[in-house]
Amino acid sequence: MKALPGRARLGSAVLATGDRLSGQGMFARLRFLERAQWWERERLHAERDRLLRDTIAVAYRDVPMYRELFDAAGVTLSDVRSAADLPKLPQLTKEVLRAHLPHGAARRTGRRTYEACSSGSTGRPLCLREDLLTAGRYRAAFLLAARWSGWRVGERHLLFGVNPGRGQGRRLKDALLRCTYVSAYDLTDAALDRALARLEDGGIAHVWGYPAALYLLARRAAQQGWNAPLAAAVTWGDTLFPHFRRTIESAFQTTVFDTYGCAEGIQVAAQCGHGPGYHVHSLDTIVEYVDDRGRPVRAGERGALLLTRLHAGATPLIRYRVGDLGRPSGDAVCPCGRGLDLMAAVYGRETDVVVTPSGNRLIVHFFTGILEYFAEIASFQVVQDEPESILLRLVPGPGFTPEIPARVVSELRSHGATGIDIDVELVDDIPPTPGGKRRFIVSALPNPVGTIDAATEPALEG
Ligand SMILES: [Zn+2]
């Protein structure tokens, strides 16, 4: 391994000191995770189950909401010895959580706590109490995933984010971690050209950010004849569609490492580069996959995700229905040799669903999978305000002709969008949400599989 450049080494040392003083313990945790990721799965599971027992005991002892929920379900602490016992406990929905905020859902940790709010880009913000120890945990898990991409702590990277007002703390972090921050609000060609110039001028080989932002950057790079390979791209926050990955990997001659976390303070899983699956951060979180009736789905089937954070923190999260979908891998192992469990796939927001009057559910991949074959369409969005119809907004691109909308509608119909009116509107632009994310589907109807209102923020930005 190449030695770290002098500035990076110094930055790491200063960061580690700040880390100790602030009580985050992020680097100590990262060092632990670097070792634990190679443990045998059996040992990881034993430690995971021990953490689970501790977490639910603390939650029951300190948090009125859990005492109520567990008592109502008739479950005692001794009933839950391992992850396999979790289905005995009730799910924690956002509605229940909200009903108990702020005090009924939180506990004192002996540390200063603050309110951490998800951006609420698709609904009301959700604000939970958090302390720096919890932040240190999820940040360490994110850094572990960044390490899998080949990045070294303190190595320069370009980050597309949605916190353009860099406070003092973030500016200091940017300086020490050697982060070049770029706003994901401005993704015009001019801004993308500036970002590309910063990569080139700064000799930066790592880019991090939302898949859509990196996709647009990659498209611009390809147009401009970019020919300096990047070491890796790390993504988070929304769905990494296959054509996003292909475009980013080919434009930058690199590999994309996707990560999955939630803004409520859990870094859940990430890709290691050795397979298509995601390693679950098994000592930080337990992931369950359940069907509409709350029963575990089989390996390979899609289910709603329930997350249990294995660190109580100020707001314990046990069987928390986060609002995303995923597919379990069962006992699959990764060729990289890490013992961490695998998640076969994670799917974007549950709100990205169009329900037809006949009851069919069209997820976002339905639309992207069809629309990506229309090179003449630069961008699209599906809006559903009433059950019987959807509005398809199309942004025409090069080569667009007047008969294309009818072809699109016909393709959608032949693939399953039947029994629903499809109106088409041609627009110049589709603005991102206030959270800076792109939404392919905007529905005003009740969600068939629960709601999500929390954007997944990058762990280091939370
Ligand atoms: Zn692996």
Side-chain angles (χ1 to χ4, degrees), residues 419-442:
I420 191 164
D421 289 335
I422 303 175
D423 299 314
V424 178
E425 180 186 25
L426 301 183
V427 294
D428 292 327
D429 189 27
I430 292 169
T433 66
K437 295 188 177 192
R438 173 157 179 198
R439 285 179 67 191
F440 288 103
I441 299 174
V442 179

Side-chain angles (χ1 to χ4, degrees), residues 252-268:
F252 295 121
Q253 300 160 57
T254 193
T255 305
V256 177
F257 295 77
D258 193 30
T259 70
Y260 170 56
C262 78
E264 292 86 334
I266 311 177
Q267 197 61 28
V268 182

Side-chain angles (χ1 to χ4, degrees), residues 272-275 279 334-338 342:
C272 70
H274 292 266
H279 281 290
C334 183
C336 74
R338 290 181 178 84
L342 285 172

